[in-house]
């Protein structure tokens, strides 16, 4: 077990981030095109079509149960027109990041499997909370991606210090995830929110995803007092952890109610929401199967 001091670990984490590969040239071009309000489906098609691997992933995802288009879509241009530039950008970005981060050599497959399933659960729940709050359908994919990527900063911790992180998980009993983040800072010299912010900067992930990575444990009193993406991701993160804990008899049943209420949703919707989470999570697992 690594017995390095927090400051030494902080420096090692910084070195790890600097060594991380950049996103592909194709992905960088996709992000650049999607920043241009005058960009067209043809502009995006010209870039993605030059990358057969990314093209295959996008078409596989679009034809999966997650989107269930009803008939096979074989044209990349048609897929972009149907789903919109922003959705295609987010699909490509999620796929690219999963592929890149899965190659970062985390030494505990059990921890990493749990990590990706929690990430996926949080993405699905964030998207559903956004839908319950009336966010237009064309904008909900941004919420899914923000939730899906919210814990990216844990990857260096899980990769470099799996034994210490497993100890932290074993000894931690607080339902407040913010307390766990503070414990990370004490043990490793830096928490996953700060680490995630550095990764978001390295990859130019944009302000909404960056704020979600940085601020999802700030717990503002409501979405009007902070960034809506970070706020809903924070509530979805709490619900995902609570749903996982409810498999144990000691799980506090009111935790989910509290997060749903804070998100501005009637707790009476919880049974329907829980059913939707189960179904949407099964469909969304395609994100993990692409890499």
């Amino acid at each position: 077990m690594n017995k390095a001091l927090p400051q030494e670990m902080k420096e090692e984490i910084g070195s790890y981030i600097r060594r991380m590969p950049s996103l592909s040239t194709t992905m960088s071009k996709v992000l650049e095109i999607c920043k241009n309000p005058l960009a067209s489906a043809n502009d995006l098609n010209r870039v993605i079509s030059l990358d057969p691997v990314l093209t295959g992933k996008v078409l596989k995802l679009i034809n999966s149960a997650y989107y269930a288009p009803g008939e096979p879509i074989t044209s990349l241009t048609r897929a972009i027109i149907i789903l919109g530039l922003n959705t295609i950008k987010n699909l490509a970005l999620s796929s690219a990041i999963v592929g890149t981060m899965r190659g970062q050599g985390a030494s505990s497959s059990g921890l990493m499997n749990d990590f990706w399933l929690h990430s996926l659960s949080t993405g699905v729940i964030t998207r559903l909370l956004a839908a319950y709050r009336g966010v237009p359908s064309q904008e909900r994919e941004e919420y899914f991606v923000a939730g899906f990527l919210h814990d990216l900063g844990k990857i260096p911790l899980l990769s470099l210090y799996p034994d210490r992180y497993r100890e932290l998980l074993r000894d931690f009993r607080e339902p407040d995830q913010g307390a766990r983040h503070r414990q990370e800072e004490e043990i490793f010299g830096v928490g996953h929110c700060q680490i995630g912010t550095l990764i978001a900067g390295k990859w130019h992930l944009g302000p909404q995803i960056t704020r979600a990575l940085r601020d999802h444990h700030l717990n503002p009193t409501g979405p009007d007092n902070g960034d809506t993406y970070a706020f809903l991701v924070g509530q979805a993160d709490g619900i995902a952890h609570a749903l996982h804990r409810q498999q144990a008899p000691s799980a506090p049943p009111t935790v989910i109610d509290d997060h749903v209420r804070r998100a501005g949703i009637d707790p009476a919707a919880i049974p329907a929401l829980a059913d939707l989470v189960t179904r949407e999570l099964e469909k969304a697992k395609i994100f993990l199967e692409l890499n």
Side-chain angles (χ1 to χ4, degrees):
M1 183 182 296
N2 193 322
K3 290 296 185 181
L5 297 174
Q7 183 58 36
E8 294 171 331
M9 287 189 282
K10 184 176 181 179
E11 292 171 2
E12 189 172 6
I13 290 165
S15 176
Y16 178 100
I17 294 171
R18 288 190 293 274
R19 293 194 309 270
M20 283 171 49
S22 300
L23 292 182
S24 70
T25 302
T26 301
M27 194 63 244
S28 297
K29 289 180 179 177
V30 167
L31 293 175
E32 192 62 35
I33 288 171
C34 291
K35 289 178 185 176
N36 181 0
L38 301 178
S40 68
N42 284 332
D43 294 329
L44 200 52
N45 178 72
R46 277 194 293 270
V47 171
I48 295 179
S49 63
L50 295 175
D51 187 329
V53 174
L54 182 56
T55 298
K57 288 180 179 180
V58 170
L59 289 175
K60 182 179 178 182
L61 190 54
I62 288 166
N63 287 293
S64 71
Y66 187 70
Y67 283 100
E71 60 181 63
I73 295 176
T74 58
S75 164
L76 185 60
T77 302
R78 183 168 175 239
I80 294 169
I81 291 171
I82 291 171
L83 293 176
L85 271 65
N86 214 34
T87 298
I88 292 293
K89 176 201 76 174
N90 289 327
L91 302 184
L93 180 62
S94 299
S95 175
I97 288 177
V98 172
T100 300
M101 296 308 270
R102 277 190 162 177
Q104 288 302 295
S107 59
S108 174
S109 60
L111 279 177
M112 290 307 300
N113 288 340
D114 289 346
F115 168 83
W116 286 116
L117 281 175
H118 171 71
S119 298
L120 196 59
S121 298
T122 303
V124 165
I125 295 169
T126 304
R127 192 173 189 264
L128 290 172
L129 292 180
Y132 270 78
R133 287 182 53 83
V135 172
S137 58
Q138 65 269 25
E139 297 176 19
R140 293 173 197 164
E141 208 60 42
E142 292 278 6
Y143 285 85
F144 169 80
V145 174
F148 183 48
L149 300 179
H150 77 289
D151 271 348
L152 270 185
K154 288 184 180 179
I155 296 275
L157 299 177
L158 294 170
S159 297
L160 294 171
Y161 314 111
D163 292 334
R164 284 201 178 188
Y165 210 88
R166 191 179 287 105
E167 280 184 7
L168 187 155
L169 293 176
R170 186 189 63 211
D171 299 338
F172 188 82
R173 294 292 179 266
E174 285 281 335
D176 174 17
Q177 296 304 310
R180 180 188 290 181
H181 184 263
R182 291 188 291 275
Q183 202 166 17
E184 288 174 357
E185 293 177 321
E186 292 175 9
I187 295 172
F188 303 108
V190 62
H192 70 270
C193 291
Q194 298 100 308
I195 298 171
T197 304
L198 293 174
I199 296 173
K202 179 183 178 74
W203 284 345
H204 308 289
L205 296 185
Q208 292 161 340
I209 293 176
T210 300
R211 287 196 297 268
L213 268 64
R214 184 189 67 203
D215 298 340
H216 62 275
H217 286 312
L218 290 185
N219 289 325
T221 55
D224 295 332
N225 295 327
D227 178 71
T228 306
Y229 286 86
F231 173 75
L232 287 185
V233 168
Q235 305 316 311
D237 181 41
I239 292 170
H241 280 295
L243 286 173
H244 178 73
R245 284 197 303 272
Q246 278 198 345
Q247 297 172 6
S250 60
T254 60
V255 172
I256 296 175
D257 295 41
D258 291 343
H259 285 294
V260 168
R261 212 177 266 112
R262 283 182 214 160
I265 296 166
D266 185 350
I270 287 176
L273 184 62
D275 183 55
L276 275 174
V277 167
T278 302
R279 285 188 278 131
E280 290 296 306
L281 186 57
E282 283 304 308
K283 291 193 293 183
K285 284 181 180 177
I286 184 69
F287 280 90
L288 304 183
E289 296 167 4
L290 287 172
N291 297 279

